[in-house]
Amino acid sequence: MIDIKDLRADPDKYVRAAADKAMAVDVPAIVELDRQVRDAQQSLQDLRTEQNAASKAIARLQGLDKQAAIAQMAELKTRVKAVSDTLAELEPRLHDQLLLVVQPAAPEVPIGKDESESVELRSVGEIPSFDFEPKDHMQLGEALGIIDMPRGVKLAGARNYVLKGAGVLLHQAVLRLGQEMIIRRGFTPMAVPVLVREQVMYGTGYFPTGRDQAYLAERDGLSLVGTAEVPLTALHSDEILDEAELPKKYCAMSACFRREAGAAGKDAYGLYRIHFFEKVEQVVVCRNDEAASVSYQQEILANAEALVQALNLPYRVVNVCTGDLGQGAVQKFDIETWMPSRNSYGETHSASRFHEFQARRLNLRYRDAEGKVQFCHTLNNTVVASPRILIPILELHQNADGSVTVPQALRPYMNGMERLTMDSH
RNA sequence: GGAGAGGUGGCUGAGUGGCCGAAAGCGACGGUUUGCUAAACCGUUAUAUGGGAUCAAACCCGUAUCGCGAGUUCGAAUCUCGCCCUCUCCGCCA
């Protein structure tokens, strides 16, 4: 949600924001609707003032005078009803429209229509070349007996998988490594609901626009989250925090569910784009300050880079262009990790800052040093998401004999296991 | 799932049709007193929004908000209906 006052003051800014992000929002229509709502509010307020004054007078009258005064109120009452009916129709419409308005991207975000126009900031680590014919993660996983795709599909349909034996250990090892690293860096671990109220989905900006990406438990009015960002960011919704307790730094390991509607046929192979996965997520809630947001975004980006480096994986950092930014993000840095089977970098992390966008929708505020209540800023980034991260781990650390070397950093979480081999499960 | 109780300001809690944006207490903040602290005393202490004033605030006037929504009424925290949520007991259960 953006600030309606700002929309009134500078509608063109929001027209441009929508164009840059290639989203359809009829800003002039919203401005006009807002004007109608405000007119109606003003007349309703005037009528109420009149009505309240008259009621107070009536309270002091007696007998015939009182009866006469009450009789005179009938007409006023009709007018109040008419105006409030109009308002009751207009206000929800305005509210629905405001949920669609696009948060402008920061000036340092490249303008572009899709990921091809995002800008690489740096690349870290060497892209290896193999002196044997490398296998992809599915070939490796099936041969090692740690990934079973057909049975995943049997149980739950396309884009589902089963991990087995050492595959499970590897999967859990990256998550545990991620969780420990992020806790060491000052984030408080949380265990949060992954089936949440719709309000929480709207509040974090995933609804209404991304509604068809979510699994719904309609009977109960709940939605499965696609990321722990949702419950973590909404944790303090409808609260007024003290500035002294900011920033809030939280992390959570959670199950993540994504319908991948509209992605039919895209990334259909392997563990890349799947309906269910697990992820350690980091969320920051900070004071309303651009510089603070920018610096926390660097911090959460660095946290994720440290993890990818610990796994010995080559990656690059991308300044995501406007066309690939979500509705609410001000700026987003993706970490893309090298995936030999794709012969390209694939997104494994996504660090976004939102300014007030989510905080306004969530009514997430704090009281500043002067006692003024302000909306917080929110940010989030992946720490690690698995099994997607298993793609580069398996493919980059494979050996000529089909075994896979376990990165040093994961061994403590795998009973010291150094290699995945045919009989390691 | 069955039965019952209840949702009022930062918290506790009073308030069954107008004098109620709401008693009282606690907490917090400011002040007086004091060698310092404590105590005592005095004062302040919700949010949103429209308008006025202002360089901007302070400030002034209005409107809305006592779980949410609808209704009755000239007038609703208070009466009616629907919904949501919480708690207690019983049942079931990881």
Side-chain angles (χ1 to χ4, degrees):
Chain A
M1 184 85 73
I2 49 81
D3 183 356
I4 181 112
K5 287 184 200 156
D6 197 49
L7 183 77
R8 278 172 207 143
D10 191 0
D12 283 351
K13 178 162 119 192
Y14 292 93
V15 172
R16 266 182 276 121
D20 286 346
K21 291 192 182 179
M23 293 175 177
V25 183
D26 190 347
V27 173
I30 295 172
V31 171
E32 169 58 19
L33 186 56
D34 170 55
R35 197 192 54 76
Q36 290 176 19
V37 167
R38 291 212 292 162
D39 285 352
Q41 280 170 342
Q42 188 59 57
S43 29
L44 183 62
Q45 185 182 315
D46 292 345
L47 290 170
R48 286 258 159 82
T49 307
E50 206 178 319
Q51 195 175 41
N52 288 346
S55 288
K56 273 198 178 127
I58 286 171
R60 289 190 299 268
L61 295 175
Q62 292 295 326
L64 284 179
D65 285 348
K66 188 168 194 161
Q67 293 312 312
I70 288 174
Q72 280 183 354
M73 295 295 282
E75 191 255 354
L76 189 56
K77 200 183 175 185
T78 319
R79 280 158 62 203
V80 168
K81 173 99 174 100
V83 179
S84 64
D85 282 353
T86 306
L87 208 49
E89 192 263 327
L90 292 178
E91 272 185 325
R93 262 171 57 199
L94 178 61
H95 179 76
D96 288 350
Q97 289 300 303
L98 284 175
L99 288 175
L100 301 174
V101 176
V102 172
Q103 167 83 44
E108 57 268 36
V109 171
I111 309 282
K113 61 179 187 312
D114 60 35
E115 61 183 349
S116 67
E117 295 184 74
S118 295
V119 174
E120 179 180 313
L121 297 178
R122 59 180 170 275
S123 62
V124 177
E126 298 259 319
I127 294 173
S129 55
F130 294 91
D131 53 11
F132 55 91
E133 188 58 38
K135 296 177 174 146
D136 69 43
H137 67 284
M138 291 306 295
Q139 294 166 330
L140 288 163
E142 280 165 20
L144 292 169
I146 60 173
I147 300 171
D148 182 348
M149 211 70 185
R151 291 199 177 90
V153 172
K154 177 173 79 178
L155 292 173
R159 296 193 193 284
N160 285 101
Y161 58 91
V162 170
L163 298 178
K164 187 180 165 192
V168 177
L169 299 184
L170 188 66
H171 168 71
Q172 291 179 347
V174 286
L175 294 168
R176 288 169 59 200
L177 172 67
Q179 172 154 302
E180 285 208 6
M181 281 187 69
I182 198 66
I183 291 171
R184 269 204 305 277
R185 285 163 179 255
F187 285 66
T188 306
M190 308 289 287
V192 287
V194 294
L195 191 56
V196 301
R197 297 179 194 280
E198 295 225 334
Q199 204 49 49
V200 173
M201 298 299 283
Y202 278 99
T204 42
Y206 284 92
F207 283 9
T209 317
R211 205 163 203 285
D212 55 2
Q213 290 302 329
Y215 289 102
L216 304 178
E218 283 181 300
R219 184 167 63 172
D220 300 295
L222 299 171
S223 306
L224 283 168
V225 300
T227 162
E229 166 202 340
V230 171
L232 284 182
T233 309
L235 191 72
H236 295 292
S237 57
D238 291 318
E239 294 181 25
I240 300 176
L241 303 168
D242 285 332
E243 181 165 2
E245 49 182 325
L246 298 178
K248 294 280 192 187
K249 296 181 177 181
Y250 293 125
C251 63
M253 186 191 297
S254 86
C256 303
F257 302 90
R258 300 189 181 181
R259 285 186 74 234
E260 301 298 347
K266 194 179 173 194
D267 308 314
Y269 185 72
L271 292 178
Y272 190 80
R273 189 178 297 276
I274 50 194
H275 286 312
F276 160 75
F277 57 96
E278 294 185 76
K279 178 156 67 79
V280 179
E281 180 77 2
Q282 43 180 336
V283 163
V284 176
V285 177
C286 70
R287 65 184 197 281
N288 193 314
D289 179 64
E290 162 98 25
S293 273
V294 167
S295 105
Y296 288 124
Q297 190 179 23
Q298 289 302 318
E299 180 181 327
I300 59 179
L301 177 61
N303 292 341
E305 286 190 62
L307 181 119
V308 182
Q309 286 169 17
L311 294 173
N312 245 320
L313 304 172
Y315 67 93
R316 63 176 188 172
V317 178
V318 169
N319 185 6
V320 174
C321 78
T322 52
D324 219 22
L325 226 48
Q327 180 199 359
V330 171
Q331 185 170 33
K332 181 161 88 166
F333 297 117
D334 280 358
I335 295 176
E336 299 181 342
T337 306
W338 182 255
M339 299 184 183
S341 62
R342 296 169 70 86
N343 195 34
S344 71
Y345 290 99
E347 179 188 326
T348 51
H349 299 73
S350 199
S352 304
R353 60 185 165 103
F354 289 86
H355 283 185
E356 306 172 2
F357 184 81
Q358 293 180 316
R360 280 184 179 276
R361 290 175 167 237
L362 290 165
N363 198 26
L364 165 55
R365 297 168 296 169
Y366 70 99
R367 201 178 300 277
D368 69 17
E370 279 96 59
K372 213 174 135 219
V373 175
Q374 302 215 46
F375 288 106
C376 301
H377 277 192
T378 62
L379 306 95
N380 65 73
N381 189 15
T382 320
V383 176
V384 66
S386 182
R388 184 179 278 190
I389 196 73
L390 301 187
I391 298 172
I393 291 176
L394 293 172
E395 294 179 356
L396 289 161
H397 298 316
Q398 65 177 297
N399 304 302
D401 64 0
S403 68
V404 172
T405 304
V406 175
Q408 285 283 359
L410 296 179
R411 292 179 192 174
Y413 304 98
M414 298 180 70
N415 289 319
M417 190 185 289
E418 293 174 16
R419 280 182 165 230
L420 308 184
T421 59
M422 299 299 226
D423 46 28
S424 61
H425 54 281

